[in-house]
Amino acid sequence: MRFSHSFSCSAMGALILGCLLLQASNSNAQLRPDFYFRTCRQVFDIIGNVIVDELSSDPRIAASLLRLHFHDCFVNGCDASILLDNSTSFRTEKDAAPNANSARGFDVIDRMKDEIELACPRTVSCADILTIASQISVLLSGGPWWPVPLGRRDSLQAFFDLANTALPSPFFTLDQLKKSFADVGLNRPSDLVALSGGHTFGRAQCQFVTPRLYNFNGTNRPDPSLNPTYRDQLRRLCPQNGNGTVLVNFDPVTPDGFDQQYYTNLRQGKGLIQSDQELFSTPRADTIPLVEQYSNNRFVFFQAFTEAMIRMGNLKPLTGTQGEIRQNCRVVNSRIRSVENEDHGVVSSI
């Protein structure tokens, strides 16, 4: 199977293109979906083909790439800072608690970048690669298409400390979730509920589930919002004092498909992690009607998700002459030039 940009621009997508383009252009005037139309039109094909190929051996990769984009945008904006390795100047965000031994797909982004650099050298930012990859990952998993505003540039540093504090925890209450989203500018209930729907596919480690199963909030009892049958299923997968890195499907019904089943699960008490179930089980929460609405209507969920993804993608982007277009997503360009200078006998500091 080969991916093409024309495939992503389906007839249904064309019907909503005008509306979403208007919204995207209003949200950040310097980002636009046709940013690479003249300079690297094949960028969608390249990224899509890599994802199709990776999915053939790794059904988790689509969800993993979406999560990378999410974790990037919540930490000082969508600037590909999450992709940077350790440097003498900063510590990588990959070592932060929400990412360590958990965030994945970096090698897939490297592959995309290598192929794009061959086709369009020094043109497409790593931040835009992450953004496009998340959109195509959703689409290939059965989710919606949307026009991705492009034109971001890459950060010159990583933000380890911020990554430890800005990303929502799987153990958050609803109030903590709302604050975490509002702190980055996503202050609508639909932002929180729709973006949480990204957990309609992918996996989580048992270490993020077991407190709900055995000792919820220090009570030595399970989370009372858990469906008893589902709780027993999870206990078999995640025994007390067992291997915390064992993987569990976020959605036990359609684990690799992007659909509204996640919200139906919440209504049945089958949210995998606490922060998901909080959306429906917190008494009198304003998120409950949205969970019910998205559960009942896939189109409404898809529309809310695309709007929230565009809003998230517009968080503090570097544009114009800010930042840089990295040649290698793992290192800033000055490090590459330093190594090149050293190879030619020129001393240069990093």
Side-chain angles (χ1 to χ4, degrees):
M1 177 181 179
R2 302 297 288 172
F3 181 91
S4 70
H5 185 38
S6 60
F7 169 68
S8 71
C9 296
S10 63
M12 181 178 294
L15 292 175
I16 61 173
L17 176 60
C19 175
L20 288 177
L21 277 174
L22 178 61
Q23 179 182 353
S25 63
N26 287 341
S27 57
N28 191 301
Q30 296 191 65
L31 301 181
R32 62 181 197 273
D34 65 346
F35 187 84
Y36 297 112
F37 183 77
R38 287 186 170 85
T39 57
C40 194
R41 193 179 304 188
Q42 62 268 54
V43 63
F44 293 93
D45 286 349
I46 294 171
I47 293 174
N49 287 332
V50 169
I51 297 174
V52 168
D53 186 56
E54 293 287 338
L55 280 170
S56 66
S57 59
D58 182 5
R60 296 172 56 200
I61 196 60
S64 296
L65 292 173
L66 176 62
R67 182 170 182 250
L68 273 187
H69 179 50
F70 184 99
H71 281 217
D72 181 45
C73 291
F74 261 64
V75 180
N76 209 52
C78 308
D79 58 4
S81 59
I82 193 173
L83 303 180
L84 288 168
D85 287 340
N86 276 318
S87 161
T88 55
S89 304
F90 51 77
R91 187 174 180 185
T92 178
E93 293 171 27
K94 299 173 186 178
D95 289 344
N99 298 323
N101 302 312
S102 175
R104 61 191 298 271
F106 299 105
D107 55 334
V108 179
I109 297 297
D110 290 340
R111 180 181 169 190
M112 294 172 185
K113 181 62 172 173
D114 289 344
E115 295 189 20
I116 290 169
E117 283 298 305
L118 287 175
C120 318
R122 305 184 183 191
T123 301
V124 182
S125 69
C126 300
D128 276 346
I129 291 173
L130 261 181
T131 308
I132 296 171
S134 67
Q135 187 267 333
I136 294 177
S137 293
V138 168
L139 178 68
L140 290 174
S141 302
W145 173 88
W146 65 95
V148 182
L150 301 168
R152 297 166 192 80
R153 289 169 66 86
D154 300 322
S155 70
L156 301 175
Q157 61 179 316
F159 307 94
F160 170 80
D161 291 335
L162 187 59
N164 274 315
T165 59
L167 289 165
S169 163
F171 308 113
F172 270 4
T173 65
L174 182 58
D175 285 342
Q176 290 172 314
L177 282 172
K178 286 183 174 182
K179 183 180 186 303
S180 178
F181 274 66
D183 283 348
V184 298
L186 298 172
N187 50 15
R188 305 185 309 185
S190 59
D191 293 329
L192 168 58
V193 181
L195 289 175
S196 296
H199 285 168
T200 193
F201 63 169
R203 317 284 189 270
Q205 296 181 17
C206 279
Q207 62 179 308
F208 303 119
V209 182
T210 49
R212 300 186 67 208
L213 305 179
Y214 305 101
N215 188 23
F216 182 65
N217 289 343
T219 62
N220 288 319
R221 299 181 63 82
D223 183 346
S225 69
L226 264 172
N227 178 294
T229 301
Y230 183 55
R231 179 196 64 212
D232 293 342
Q233 292 171 351
L234 291 177
R235 281 180 164 176
R236 287 192 289 271
L237 295 169
C238 302
Q240 195 167 21
N241 301 318
N243 184 349
T245 64
V246 169
L247 297 174
V248 185
N249 293 325
F250 269 112
D251 177 0
V253 182
T254 55
D256 299 318
F258 195 95
D259 53 30
Q260 80 274 34
Q261 181 63 41
Y262 164 83
Y263 300 102
T264 301
N265 295 340
L266 297 187
R267 296 176 71 178
Q268 296 172 349
K270 296 179 180 180
L272 180 62
I273 57 177
Q274 177 184 344
S275 59
D276 284 338
Q277 193 61 51
E278 291 279 340
L279 301 177
F280 186 76
S281 295
T282 302
R284 298 177 297 280
D286 57 359
T287 53
I288 294 174
L290 291 174
V291 171
E292 293 173 336
Q293 188 178 24
Y294 298 164
S295 171
N296 291 327
N297 193 318
R298 179 179 301 192
F299 178 79
V300 172
F301 163 48
F302 282 4
Q303 184 178 33
F305 182 80
T306 59
E307 291 176 359
M309 284 295 290
I310 291 173
R311 281 169 55 81
M312 185 179 75
N314 287 330
L315 294 176
K316 298 174 64 175
L318 302 175
T319 59
T321 59
Q322 298 172 315
E324 65 182 9
I325 305 296
R326 282 186 222 139
Q327 295 171 248
N328 179 332
C329 291
R330 293 176 180 265
V331 297
V332 297
N333 292 340
S334 61
R335 287 192 67 189
I336 296 175
R337 287 193 295 270
S338 175
V339 172
E340 290 174 347
N341 288 337
E342 289 175 2
D343 289 343
H344 289 85
V346 178
V347 177
S348 177
S349 61
I350 296 177

